[in-house]
Amino acid sequence: MNFQRITIGLIVLLIAGLAGSFYMNWKTLRQLQTTKAFVESAVFAEAVAACERAQSTTPFKWNGGKQTAVIGLNSVKLNKDTIIASYTLFADGVYCDFNPIRRTADIGSNFLERELF
């Protein structure tokens, strides 16, 4: 009888712990999504301006573009110490990678064969 009570108590504690863990994970992910959305909206205007100013053979025109899309904030981890952030915009077949740290823009027409900063 004691063994059954202890087992049931441990199972209830295990379920409560897992539920708490999933809840905390959900809360953290929601906060990260909110933070990412805030950063993306803060960087957007600067990215558009830098992309439209950048010199390229294929001009980037966000304003007045027929097909525009915000791909968003991305990061590439080159090694354990270096992470490169980029904010990517796409307008009328031309993409623009904006580096929010260096405040530089790189324009290209082939998104899949691009080189990151």
Side-chain angles (χ1 to χ4, degrees):
M1 192 70 164
N2 254 352
F3 179 74
Q4 290 175 343
R5 288 182 184 174
I6 291 173
T7 304
I8 291 173
L10 288 175
I11 290 173
V12 168
L13 283 175
L14 179 66
I15 291 171
L18 285 173
S21 173
F22 285 126
Y23 175 74
M24 292 304 291
N25 187 30
W26 175 78
K27 282 287 268 189
T28 303
L29 287 177
R30 294 294 297 162
Q31 288 175 348
L32 286 174
Q33 288 172 347
T34 303
T35 303
K36 183 179 178 190
F38 176 77
V39 169
E40 286 181 348
S41 66
V43 172
F44 175 75
E46 189 176 353
V48 169
C51 289
E52 288 188 343
R53 282 192 315 264
Q55 298 296 322
S56 175
T57 57
T58 55
F60 183 84
K61 299 292 181 200
W62 180 266
N63 297 320
K66 294 177 184 171
Q67 293 179 332
T68 59
V70 176
I71 296 175
L73 190 62
N74 306 306
S75 63
V76 176
K77 188 171 184 178
L78 297 179
N79 56 38
K80 69 177 185 169
D81 298 326
T82 307
I83 296 175
I84 296 177
S86 70
Y87 187 80
T88 306
L89 301 171
F90 187 80
D92 295 333
V94 178
Y95 73 89
C96 178
D97 281 328
F98 174 71
N99 185 333
I101 296 169
R102 293 186 190 163
R103 300 190 189 310
T104 57
D106 183 34
I107 297 174
S109 58
N110 192 343
F111 183 75
L112 296 177
E113 293 179 9
R114 66 191 176 154
E115 289 184 25
L116 294 175
F117 300 95

